[in-house]
Amino acid sequence: MIFQAVGEGRPYPQHGCETTTQWSGVPPRQVRLAELTTTKRTLDLDALLAEDSTFYGDLFAHVVSWRGRLYLEDGLHRAVRAALHQRQVLHARVLVLPD
């Protein structure tokens, strides 16, 4: 199994980090793919296969830590690409929300 779970939607409260500029204040770190719960069930193959998929966005995936779980909010295509390359970790910005 690649991810801990596949979810639908964001179960955590609004956090106010919506733009790349806001997320840039969150330092990146390594996250194990097996610890992530996705917030999307579907993947756009165009985003997965595009060579410049991160050209206009953040280089790091966006993860929200809430109630002891890590939710992959943005960067599903990066995570799947890492798994296809047999990597077990992903570099992500992890925003910690209080319980």
Side-chain angles (χ1 to χ4, degrees), residues 29-99:
R29 66 178 177 98
Q30 288 187 346
V31 177
R32 292 180 47 80
L33 294 175
E35 295 175 345
L36 294 174
T37 298
T38 69
T39 59
K40 299 176 185 170
R41 289 192 170 279
T42 59
L43 175 68
D44 180 8
L45 280 178
D46 286 336
L48 177 67
L49 301 174
E51 291 181 20
D52 63 347
S53 63
T54 59
F55 185 76
Y56 295 105
D58 197 343
L59 291 175
F60 303 102
H62 297 167
V63 173
V64 174
S65 175
W66 185 62
R67 292 187 176 171
R69 295 195 71 170
L70 295 175
Y71 295 95
L72 180 61
E73 180 173 294
D74 183 44
L76 180 58
H77 63 287
R78 291 180 190 88
V80 171
R81 192 178 299 141
L84 289 172
H85 288 283
Q86 298 181 349
R87 293 192 299 259
Q88 296 181 3
V89 296
L90 175 71
H91 286 85
R93 298 182 188 279
V94 180
L95 179 66
V96 179
L97 295 182
D99 293 342

